[in-house]
Amino acid sequence: MTPRNDDATRSSSSAAGGVPPKAKDQAKKLSVKEEREARRAEKVAAHLAQQKKQQRNRRFGIIGGSVAGVLAVGLIITFVVTSAEPEVDPASIAVGDLQTYELTANHVTTSVDYEQTPPAGGDHNGVWLNCGIYSEPVPDENAVHALEHGAVWVTYDPEQVDEAGVRTLRDSLPDNYVVLSPYPGIPAPVVASAWNNQVLLDGVGDERLGDFVKKFWRSNDAPEPGAACTGGLNAPGKVA
């Protein structure tokens, strides 16, 4: 019998496919590291996916908000357009007890004896009265020139209209092309005048004042509509 060589046998076994324990440990360590890297990669991928989802949601939210905003503005515009009151033709406004005249419009340098008190037109001074609020009576001839430019002249009897009433008148009138002044001895508590037109009012609460202003304020029927109502004469007592 031939003696067995153990070293040869071990070498033969290794060559035949046996894995040394140290090599097995290294393989095992590599596998654990690879698994750790794989898990880390999965977490990174999941995080990136979550970020993309959030970005998409924000983008959709912005787009949705913009669309909703546009729709809201459109609805508001539609509501305003459809609910706004149509512009009223001044010619269609009726003013009760309206008095109308046919008056001349010459420029003069003298005082004028007017047929109406206060006047509603006629010959007048070449310098117009600046529109505004006056606490004292104003010159007729200059005020009539303001009427020629399309202003409305509201006068009140200071014996019949107190300070509160004057404030009510001021609040009810436009901010321009209006003259408001006291006028002692007029035939009504309040008189509204425009070129060739006039109405006697029962007081500061008379609703016809609003109708008169809508009908004749800056009217194209005035001889010089749209001409200046500033840059003329500031009479004494101008407060606004």
Side-chain angles (χ1 to χ4, degrees):
M1 178 179 293
T2 304
R4 184 177 61 184
N5 189 330
D6 293 336
D7 292 336
T9 303
R10 282 194 297 272
S11 297
S12 177
S13 298
S14 297
V19 180
K22 188 174 183 179
K24 290 182 178 180
D25 292 339
Q26 289 178 348
K28 185 176 182 180
K29 288 179 181 179
L30 289 175
S31 297
V32 171
K33 183 177 180 181
E34 289 174 352
E35 290 178 0
R36 188 182 300 117
E37 291 295 335
R39 288 196 297 270
R40 184 180 294 112
E42 290 177 358
K43 290 181 180 179
V44 171
H47 180 68
L48 292 175
Q50 182 66 22
Q51 284 185 330
K52 290 182 179 179
K53 182 178 180 180
Q54 291 175 350
Q55 289 175 352
R56 286 197 303 271
N57 291 340
R58 282 197 297 269
R59 190 159 52 246
F60 292 150
I62 292 172
I63 295 172
S66 300
V67 172
V70 171
L71 290 175
V73 171
L75 289 173
I76 292 172
I77 293 174
T78 301
F79 174 77
V80 171
V81 170
T82 56
S83 63
E85 294 183 3
E87 187 175 348
V88 178
D89 180 6
S92 67
I93 299 174
V95 180
D97 297 323
L98 178 67
Q99 303 174 33
T100 59
Y101 309 96
E102 292 292 335
L103 303 169
T104 57
N106 301 309
H107 287 181
V108 298
T109 57
T110 61
S111 61
V112 180
D113 184 15
Y114 290 104
E115 297 179 10
Q116 306 86 32
T117 303
D123 296 346
H124 51 273
N125 192 281
V127 179
W128 60 87
L129 179 72
N130 288 333
C131 291
I133 310 300
Y134 291 85
S135 61
E136 299 179 21
V138 298
D140 285 350
E141 293 79 10
N142 302 99
V144 170
H145 196 153
L147 297 184
E148 184 183 38
H149 292 182
V152 170
W153 184 15
V154 179
T155 52
Y156 59 91
D157 187 344
E159 294 295 325
Q160 302 185 66
V161 177
D162 58 14
E163 292 184 5
V166 174
R167 287 195 297 271
T168 299
L169 289 174
R170 289 184 60 171
D171 292 342
S172 66
L173 296 173
D175 294 332
N176 52 46
Y177 282 86
V178 166
V179 175
L180 174 64
S181 66
Y183 203 119
I186 54 178
V190 179
V191 178
S193 305
W195 189 266
N196 277 348
N197 294 275
Q198 192 171 80
V199 64
L200 308 184
L201 303 172
D202 297 331
V204 298
D206 195 321
E207 294 181 355
R208 291 176 295 166
L209 175 59
D211 293 334
F212 187 91
V213 171
K214 290 178 183 178
K215 187 175 183 69
F216 297 112
W217 180 70
R218 305 193 68 173
S219 171
N220 289 328
D221 293 334
E224 298 179 6
C229 208
T230 59
L233 173 69
N234 273 341
K238 190 172 189 296
V239 297

